């Protein structure tokens, strides 16, 4: 594996709308982000990914872009963005923007021009089909529910949208469109961006010719996955994009890649991969059901461990995965990966350690470092996220009562992660002096940054220790590049693994409330040299056996 500048970094995702509001309008903004750079630097963050802040009608909270060359006035100005890049640079930090080019907004000028002249240049920027009475071009269901086809206003055509109808898919088969995308990426990289997180990229290649698949729900439609599984040749687009953009800047790119086949991993994140890295979603997709969120099964500690180890084994030393506990599309990790009723400071720290010590690039989602939790939603009216609203409907259609449907989808709602960042115990969690655009989690009085900054035993302080260990000159080589090998893989509710590099580290987590005994490895004479990290003040040992407290997590040097 060729060494790259970003390998030893720590990344942090900001959801701008909910991070910090500088002017009291209830919406987070770029000046707000600038005001928190010192907070992020203190934590040890090097790379910051901003979810979209381009002009957008916000049909999908900014993932529907109407101008790729500007900043939405709600979030600030281009001058603010330039200042953010500048201020980050002063702190040796890099800014990533979100590259959303599977689709644009139906309010983008390309789409408006396509409506005016569907047979002209811009018609070919989209997937258009002639409208037929009583029949759709294909029976594919969009990710947010309903068919992927919608009438193209003012014409006798329909356009394709795999996400919301306000997110028309861009036609990557058209070289003119691809040129526009590359031009935009380079324009931003010229401004000094560190790179991009690449949204929904697996959708850019459609299986052709378009055809129907077996319906899989009562709506007579089929999951878009059927078509995507058949699509071939995405590599030509992705390789071209890399060569024409990122590669020339040595930029960092991380792909939102789902369902890649093991044999494709070198193409995606090998030495000359399409991307620098890609997210590991193996834990987040565990238990999902074709029927909808209401039918999803919970994940246990043993499942979680298996998912992590599976991804690690799949990637090996081909490249570095980007590891997450949560993001803006997922519920809070501590509410999901820690069994119900057991969410506490120790278990949050355990989850942090298990995730952070994996081989790969750690991505922290805003508030994760505080152990922010899911939100108690008491009514569907409190929810903004279109995906949750659709899944609520799916649950009702399946016969659930409104209360059960709410309970079922609230657990997975993307809004769990989108509530305002909890800065302090003051009004609105210190996020805004106005009325926050989305409800604040009522637990902000006990979970907030101000308190945790003061407390050496807080979740945030533990994240700081984890980051410091990753950067420690004595251990960094092993933490970043060391091989991962599971230890006592079959032991129930135990997650343990070696990291083997210049030294051997052993990461051990007792993933349960009850005490658990763990044999020290005989190949290391049942001894360890040093405790590098521990979420309890002591480590109890009897002979060759460790006796771990509930949710105790340690990193040992062997
Ligand atoms: C990605 C984004 C998600 C968005 C979708 C469509 O999955 O992370 O938030 O809704 O793409 O752009
Ligand atoms: Ca604001």
């Amino acid at each position: 594996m060729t060494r790259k500048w970003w390998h030893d970094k720590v990344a942090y995702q900001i959801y701008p709308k909910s991070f910090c509001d500088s002017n009291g309008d209830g919406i987070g903004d770029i000046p707000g982000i600038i005001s928190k750079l010192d907070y992020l630097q203190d934590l040890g963050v090097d790379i910051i990914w901003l979810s979209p802040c381009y002009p957008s009608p916000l049909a999908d909270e900014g993932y529907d872009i109407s101008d790729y060359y500007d900043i939405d006035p709600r979030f600030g100005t281009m001058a603010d963005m330039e200042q953010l890049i500048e201020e980050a640079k002063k702190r040796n930090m890099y800014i990533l923007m979100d590259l959303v080019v599977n689709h644009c907004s139906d309010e983008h000028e390309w789409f408006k021009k396509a409506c005016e002249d569907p047979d002209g240049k811009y018609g070919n920027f989209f997937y258009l089909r002639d409208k037929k009475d009583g029949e759709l071009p294909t029976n594919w269901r969009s990710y947010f529910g309903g068919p992927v086809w919608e009438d193209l206003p003012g014409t006798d055509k329909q356009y394709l949208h795999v996400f919301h109808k306000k997110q028309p898919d861009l036609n990557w088969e058209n070289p003119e469109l691809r040129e526009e995308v590359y031009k935009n990426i380079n324009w931003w990289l010229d401004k000094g961006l560190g790179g991009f997180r690449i949204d929904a990229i697996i959708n850019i290649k459609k299986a052709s010719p378009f055809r129907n698949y077996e319906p899989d729900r009562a709506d007579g439609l089929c999951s878009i996955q059927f078509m995507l599984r058949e699509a071939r040749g995405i590599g030509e687009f992705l390789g071209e994009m890399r060569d024409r953009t990122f590669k020339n800047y040595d930029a960092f790119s991380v792909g939102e890649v789902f369902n890649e086949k093991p044999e494709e991993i070198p193409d995606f994140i090998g030495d000359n991969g399409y991307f620098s890295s890609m997210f590991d979603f193996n834990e987040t997709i565990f238990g999902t059901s074709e029927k909808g969120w209401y039918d999803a099964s919970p994940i246990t500690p043993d499942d979680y461990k298996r998912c992590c180890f599976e991804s690690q084994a799949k990637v090996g030393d081909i490249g570095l995965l980007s590891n997450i506990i949560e993001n803006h599309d997922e519920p809070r990790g501590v509410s999901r990966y820690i069994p119900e009723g057991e969410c506490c400071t120790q278990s949050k720290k355990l989850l942090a350690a298990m995730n952070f010590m994996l081989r790969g690039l750690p991505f922290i989602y805003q508030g994760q470092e505080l152990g922010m939790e899911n939100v108690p939603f008491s009514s569907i009216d409190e929810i903004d996220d279109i995906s949750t609203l659709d899944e609520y409907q799916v649950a009702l259609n399946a016969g659930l009562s409104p209360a059960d449907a709410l309970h079922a989808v609230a657990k997975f709602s993307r809004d769990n992660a989108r509530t305002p960042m909890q800065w302090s115990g003051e009004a609105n969690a210190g996020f805004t002096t106005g009325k926050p655009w989305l409800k604040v989690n009522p637990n902000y009085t006990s979970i907030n940054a101000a308190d945790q900054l003061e407390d050496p035993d807080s979740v945030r302080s533990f994240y700081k220790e984890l980051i410091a260990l990753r950067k420690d000159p004595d251990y960094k080589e092993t933490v970043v590049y060391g091989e991962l090998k599971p230890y006592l893989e079959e032991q129930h509710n135990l997650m343990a693994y070696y990291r083997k590099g210049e030294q051997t580290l052993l990461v051990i987590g007792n993933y349960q409330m009850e005490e658990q005994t763990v044999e020290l490895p005989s190949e290391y004479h049942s001894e360890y040299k040093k405790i590098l990290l521990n979420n309890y003040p002591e480590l109890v040992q009897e002979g060759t056996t460790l006796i771990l407290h509930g949710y105790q997590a340690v990193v040992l040097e062997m």
Side-chain angles (χ1 to χ4, degrees):
M1 215 175 96
T2 313
R3 303 270 158 134
K4 300 278 169 57
W5 64 266
W6 51 270
H7 281 164
D8 58 356
K9 303 286 183 262
V10 171
Y12 189 95
Q13 180 189 357
I14 288 181
Y15 196 68
K17 203 174 180 187
S18 303
F19 191 61
C20 178
D21 174 22
S22 70
N23 61 356
D25 64 358
I27 296 179
D29 44 53
I30 297 172
I33 297 173
I34 296 174
S35 75
K36 297 297 184 186
L37 284 177
D38 290 336
Y39 168 90
L40 296 173
Q41 187 180 28
D42 171 73
L43 185 62
V45 167
D46 315 281
I47 295 178
I48 299 172
W49 152 30
L50 305 180
S51 275
C53 39
Y54 312 88
S56 163
L58 304 188
D60 184 21
E61 291 302 352
Y63 283 91
D64 46 321
I65 297 172
S66 55
D67 183 352
Y68 289 100
Y69 291 90
D70 207 350
I71 297 296
D72 192 294
R74 280 168 284 211
F75 297 132
T77 61
M78 188 59 80
D80 293 332
M81 186 66 205
E82 285 161 358
Q83 195 194 340
L84 172 62
I85 295 172
E86 197 51 44
E87 288 296 324
K89 218 165 254 168
K90 283 188 202 157
R91 296 166 176 82
N92 294 319
M93 290 161 127
Y94 303 81
I95 301 292
L96 311 181
M97 285 185 77
D98 215 309
L99 185 71
V100 189
V101 288
N102 172 67
H103 44 268
C104 61
S105 162
D106 67 342
E107 298 182 31
H108 192 286
E109 63 161 2
W110 295 338
F111 192 78
K112 291 183 191 158
K113 287 182 181 160
C115 296
E116 281 158 24
D117 179 13
D119 298 316
K121 165 172 168 164
Y122 291 100
N124 197 27
F125 271 41
F126 300 92
Y127 293 100
L128 306 184
R129 291 292 183 271
D130 290 333
K131 192 175 165 177
K132 289 195 211 120
D133 259 355
E135 195 191 332
L136 294 170
T138 63
N139 67 344
W140 311 339
R141 182 186 309 108
S142 77
Y143 286 103
F144 297 145
V148 297
W149 297 99
E150 194 69 28
D151 292 351
L152 187 70
T155 71
D156 55 1
K157 297 198 186 291
Q158 296 189 306
Y159 68 92
L160 173 80
H161 61 89
V162 303
F163 290 94
H164 193 259
K165 64 178 182 209
K166 285 186 69 64
Q167 296 168 298
D169 278 49
L170 291 166
N171 176 11
W172 274 71
E173 304 292 339
N174 176 359
E176 274 183 298
L177 175 273
R178 301 205 299 274
E179 285 306 317
E180 288 290 347
V181 171
Y182 307 152
K183 193 174 98 190
N184 179 253
I185 297 174
N186 291 331
W187 187 85
W188 279 108
L189 292 175
D190 282 335
K191 272 198 181 295
L193 271 197
F196 286 92
R197 174 265 186 181
I198 303 167
D199 184 71
I201 196 68
I202 270 343
N203 298 282
I204 63 172
K205 185 75 192 188
K206 276 71 174 167
S208 149
F210 290 0
R211 67 173 186 94
N212 288 338
Y213 300 85
E214 200 60 41
D216 61 356
R217 283 189 199 169
D219 58 8
L221 303 173
C222 73
S223 160
I224 196 81
Q225 298 305 331
F226 292 104
M227 177 279 286
L228 290 175
R229 250 174 253 147
E230 265 188 10
R232 292 287 173 275
I234 193 172
E236 281 159 44
F237 296 156
L238 299 179
E240 182 181 86
M241 173 159 71
R242 168 201 59 209
D243 293 342
R244 297 286 309 283
T245 62
F246 312 127
K247 202 170 175 173
N248 307 323
Y249 293 80
D250 196 17
F252 174 76
S253 59
V254 52
E256 189 193 21
V257 176
F258 283 98
N259 301 331
E260 74 289 346
K261 301 173 193 75
E263 64 272 18
E264 291 172 337
I265 293 174
D267 298 338
F268 276 91
I269 57 166
D271 269 347
N272 186 34
Y274 310 135
F275 307 124
S276 313
S277 179
M278 64 187 186
F279 290 108
D280 174 26
F281 292 118
N282 211 25
E283 301 78 36
T284 68
I285 58 179
F286 181 90
T288 48
S289 158
E290 279 291 326
K291 291 187 192 159
W293 291 359
Y294 76 88
D295 190 49
S297 20
I299 178 165
T300 66
D302 288 341
D303 299 326
Y304 182 80
K305 162 173 73 177
R306 213 170 314 120
C307 288
C308 293
F309 289 170
E310 230 173 62
S311 301
Q312 292 282 324
K314 211 159 89 171
V315 171
D317 62 356
I318 295 171
L320 286 194
L321 281 169
S322 286
N323 295 316
I324 59 164
I325 288 181
E326 63 211 33
N327 65 26
H328 66 294
D329 291 331
E330 301 296 335
R332 290 290 180 175
V334 294
S335 302
R336 182 186 208 168
Y337 303 123
I338 298 168
E340 217 171 322
E342 302 188 359
C343 204
C344 60
T345 301
Q346 300 310 351
S347 58
K348 289 173 181 182
K349 290 180 181 176
L350 172 133
L351 185 64
M354 293 305 112
N355 179 268
F356 223 84
M357 293 303 295
L358 294 171
R359 191 170 187 277
L361 183 67
F363 265 76
I364 302 171
Y365 178 74
Q366 65 182 47
Q368 178 187 319
E369 78 278 21
L370 308 175
M372 276 179 68
E373 299 171 3
N374 275 358
V375 184
F377 291 110
S378 48
S379 152
I380 193 72
D381 300 331
E382 286 178 341
I383 288 177
D384 163 85
D385 165 34
I386 47 177
S387 192
T388 314
L389 299 176
D390 169 55
E391 291 287 349
Y392 179 71
Q393 206 49 54
V394 170
L396 291 179
N397 295 347
L400 273 73
S401 71
D404 288 347
L406 177 66
H407 179 75
V409 301
K411 276 193 276 195
F412 296 103
S413 176
R414 304 197 293 180
D415 280 353
N416 285 304
R418 297 179 181 187
T419 58
M421 174 75 176
Q422 292 166 206
W423 290 110
S424 73
E426 285 159 35
N428 301 318
F431 160 72
T432 178
T433 54
K435 184 178 180 312
W437 74 276
L438 189 68
K439 120 177 194 177
V440 175
N441 193 322
N443 66 14
Y444 71 91
T445 47
S446 54
I447 300 176
N448 65 66
D451 289 353
Q452 295 202 14
L453 277 162
E454 303 288 304
D455 176 4
D457 292 324
S458 66
V459 176
R460 187 185 184 279
S461 298
F462 191 72
Y463 267 93
K464 220 176 138 167
E465 283 179 52
L466 279 165
I467 295 174
L469 177 58
R470 185 177 172 83
K471 298 191 170 179
D472 185 327
D474 289 340
Y475 295 101
K476 152 179 179 164
E477 175 69 25
T478 306
V479 175
V480 175
Y481 296 105
E483 181 199 356
L484 183 142
K485 261 189 73 190
Y487 177 60
L488 299 179
E489 202 175 346
E490 299 309 320
Q491 190 165 326
H492 175 56
N493 285 354
L494 178 80
M495 181 162 172
Y497 53 89
Y498 290 113
R499 296 297 312 281
K500 295 186 175 209
E502 281 180 355
Q503 307 92 348
T504 297
L505 309 183
L506 181 56
V507 183
I508 309 179
N510 174 22
Y511 211 141
Q512 61 180 16
M513 272 305 201
E514 300 73 38
E515 243 180 43
Q516 174 162 204
T517 57
V518 179
E519 274 308 299
L520 282 164
S522 54
E523 60 172 308
Y524 293 94
H525 315 290
S526 306
E527 276 171 17
Y528 61 85
K529 266 197 209 131
K530 204 168 160 190
I531 304 177
L532 301 182
L533 207 90
N534 187 354
N535 64 348
Y536 274 84
E538 79 283 310
L539 178 59
V540 182
Q541 183 174 349
E542 273 177 20
T544 59
T545 309
L546 298 177
I547 303 169
L548 299 179
H549 300 295
Y551 286 107
Q552 184 162 18
V554 291
V555 178
L556 307 176
E557 182 180 351
M558 302 310 288

